[in-house]
Amino acid sequence: MSQDNRGFNLEKVRADFPLLTRDIRGVPLVYLDNAASTLKPIHVIDRLQQYYRNETSNVHRGAHYLSSQGTVAYEASRETVRRFVNAKSIHEIIFTRGTTEAVNLVAQSWGRANFKEGDEIILTELEHHSNIVPWQMITSEKGCKIKVIPVNDIGELEFDKYLELLSPKTKMVSMSSCSNTLGTVTDVSKYIEAAHRVGAKVMIDAAQSAPQFPTDVQKLDCDFLAFSGHKVFGPYGIGALFGKEELLESMPPYQGGGSMISEVTWEKTTWAAVPQKFEAGTPAISGALGLEAALSYIMDLGFDAIIAHEHDLLEYATRELKEIPGLRVVGEAKNKAAILSFVIDGAHPSDIGSIIDQQGVAVRAGHHCCQPLMKRLGLPATVRASFSIYNTRGEVDILKQSLIKAKEFF
Ligand code: PMP
């Protein structure tokens, strides 16, 4: 596994991730829960250490050296996020706690200001709860209706049905570019184009696509897009929201507090310009610096190498696992990211997860925060193996063997 034929140095990549050297239950860790959180490369860990050892200070306020250096570094991280998603300006990048907070921000700020009774919001059957519940909260308050794009039996969205749902009543379409449960990759650009034709705005949940393929908000022409740091090799508690500048300018703040104001009097408060207007309170400074290190790491590796490696793993894993009698792959879209959900006849997914955990194999089992999708599939849960840049074909073999062993228990 030293050097594969695309010049992607897998051994070197693996050496960047200290947790991969850890034994779990006496055997080497096989980490296949990357759709939940990726592991962290040494570059990110070092950046966090460096900040806490040598640079700790609050940003934007202090008159002293450390604070002004911290502010420069924090804003430089914003520039790296801008570059990662190819936004026009750093004014379009808001640091959030992650995708969930970003969706809540748009729902509570843009939604509260723009939705009125009778309006419609379109979501998809593939969505994670974090791209459902925030919309339910605001639409139930405003008397709007949620419509849902159905998914077909192999896990692809039905574009024709989407076109039928769209109307001048549609105010927002919010959808993921990659399903965390089935791995389905949706060509969101045609959904965005169609939404814009009826005057609707579009939010893209890029939580799963951000670590797997390039994000280009200008090419997509989406209005909002969100991703989470912990799924792109970065720290917890940080993520980003992209929003078109004119939209962010027009939106009321999501939270009030320090840093987001221009002037406060007892009579009236005025807001700071974007992006500060949406970053009330002390931000996750170390998180932003760690995120910068993570995104730089990804961009240095390059998406061509990442896509080729993960595609190879997905194809290999799909082929190998299908050889196990009674195993059924759930979600076989033509365009898939390296996420493999499956069920095994007569075995509950969480039992499978616990049994293979005994062999050091980390997967996820459950509804993956997609209960409406599970209902559509007629399943209570699946086992999900999700792959990343540091996984190997050898680890797929270990997964397969551990599943064969687990089957003996049922
Ligand atoms: N959307 C998708 C597709 C996800 O996979 C996740 C995380 N599993 C989220 C949103 C929520 O991300 P976070 O918990 O980091 O806010």
Side-chain angles (χ1 to χ4, degrees):
M1 65 133 168
S2 54
Q3 183 97 25
D4 80 10
N5 56 9
R6 284 167 294 271
F8 176 67
N9 192 334
L10 182 52
E11 205 167 294
K12 185 165 175 296
V13 169
R14 285 183 68 81
D16 287 335
F17 290 82
L19 201 47
L20 290 175
T21 60
R22 188 170 164 195
D23 283 355
I24 300 285
R25 306 185 195 286
V27 287
L29 168 66
V30 174
Y31 187 78
L32 302 176
D33 194 17
N34 295 287
S37 275
T38 52
L39 303 181
K40 316 303 169 198
I42 195 69
H43 312 63
V44 171
I45 299 164
D46 284 352
R47 186 66 192 96
L48 295 175
Q49 263 226 14
Q50 153 92 354
Y51 172 73
Y52 283 114
R53 277 180 177 275
N54 298 322
E55 301 171 27
T56 298
S57 178
N58 209 327
V59 291
H60 292 317
R61 271 161 284 199
H64 58 89
Y65 179 84
L66 282 177
S67 177
S68 59
Q69 290 298 298
T71 305
V72 169
Y74 179 71
E75 290 304 323
S77 305
R78 197 188 303 279
E79 164 57 22
T80 302
V81 176
R82 183 207 66 72
R83 198 153 55 85
F84 184 73
V85 300
N86 194 32
K88 275 189 202 148
S89 152
I90 54 165
H91 299 140
E92 298 185 315
I93 305 299
I94 295 158
F95 284 119
T96 65
R97 279 197 299 123
T99 307
T100 303
E101 191 179 51
V103 179
N104 277 280
L105 190 163
V106 176
Q108 289 298 324
S109 172
W110 193 88
R112 185 173 296 284
N114 290 282
F115 292 153
K116 54 184 192 326
E117 203 175 330
D119 283 348
E120 294 178 356
I121 289 89
I122 297 182
L123 306 177
T124 93
E125 229 166 12
L126 289 173
E127 297 317 304
H128 187 279
H129 295 162
S130 62
N131 197 25
I132 298 175
V133 183
W135 299 112
Q136 286 176 328
M137 288 163 69
I138 188 69
T139 50
S140 65
E141 204 182 305
K142 289 280 187 168
C144 310
K145 210 167 165 184
I146 292 180
K147 299 208 155 177
V148 184
I149 310 171
V151 76
N152 66 17
D153 291 339
I154 60 168
E156 292 169 339
L157 293 177
E158 299 197 44
F159 186 66
D160 292 351
K161 299 268 170 59
Y162 167 62
L163 294 180
E164 285 167 22
L165 295 178
L166 276 175
S167 82
K169 285 191 202 163
T170 314
K171 289 293 163 334
M172 171 65 75
V173 176
S174 190
M175 63 189 299
S176 55
S177 34
C178 175
S179 156
N180 65 307
T181 301
L182 304 183
T184 308
V185 175
T186 302
D187 172 14
V188 290
S189 53
K190 64 181 186 182
Y191 288 77
I192 294 167
E193 218 178 286
H196 285 167
R197 280 202 294 274
V198 299
K201 303 290 181 232
V202 184
M203 169 145 203
I204 301 299
D205 169 353
Q208 292 299 334
S209 65
Q212 312 217 31
F213 49 86
T215 305
D216 186 334
V217 293
Q218 291 191 65
K219 200 161 151 203
L220 287 177
D221 194 30
C222 54
D223 300 289
F224 301 99
L225 178 141
F227 71 94
S228 300
H230 67 98
K231 293 184 199 281
V232 290
F233 314 105
Y236 290 99
I238 189 79
L241 169 69
F242 155 82
K244 283 183 179 164
E245 192 166 352
E246 66 274 16
L247 289 176
L248 295 177
E249 293 280 10
S250 74
M251 287 158 54
Y254 169 52
Q255 294 181 328
S259 295
M260 50 72 75
I261 54 91
S262 171
E263 191 184 5
V264 179
T265 66
W266 289 119
E267 290 72 36
K268 186 177 186 296
T269 292
T270 51
W271 318 131
V274 290
Q276 272 72 33
K277 181 171 74 174
F278 293 105
E279 292 183 6
T282 300
I285 305 162
S286 55
L289 305 186
L291 180 61
E292 169 171 51
L295 298 182
S296 300
Y297 183 81
I298 294 178
M299 290 189 278
D300 285 351
L301 274 183
F303 274 108
D304 287 348
I306 292 173
I307 291 167
H309 178 66
E310 294 186 359
H311 184 71
D312 176 69
L313 285 174
L314 177 71
E315 288 221 318
Y316 182 68
T318 306
R319 201 166 61 235
E320 289 296 312
L321 263 52
K322 276 184 169 178
E323 284 178 2
I324 300 175
L327 184 146
R328 179 167 68 86
V329 170
V330 181
E332 297 208 75
K334 281 183 244 18
N335 194 2
K336 263 188 81 167
I339 294 173
L340 189 56
S341 259
F342 58 89
V343 288
I344 297 181
D345 286 346
H348 194 279
S350 45
D351 292 337
I352 298 169
S354 307
I355 295 169
I356 67 174
D357 175 51
Q358 298 301 318
Q359 295 159 65
V361 180
V363 294
R364 188 146 294 238
H367 53 63
H368 316 295
C369 297
C370 288
Q371 286 181 346
L373 175 62
M374 289 294 152
K375 195 165 172 204
R376 158 67 180 88
L377 298 171
L379 293 168
T382 68
V383 184
R384 182 187 71 188
S386 50
F387 304 94
S388 189
I389 51 175
Y390 34 70
N391 291 123
T392 68
R393 281 186 172 213
E395 289 179 321
V396 173
D397 295 338
I398 295 172
L399 168 68
K400 183 180 178 187
Q401 288 314 313
S402 71
L403 290 170
I404 290 169
K405 252 195 200 163
K407 277 193 67 190
E408 291 167 9
F409 288 82
F410 301 102

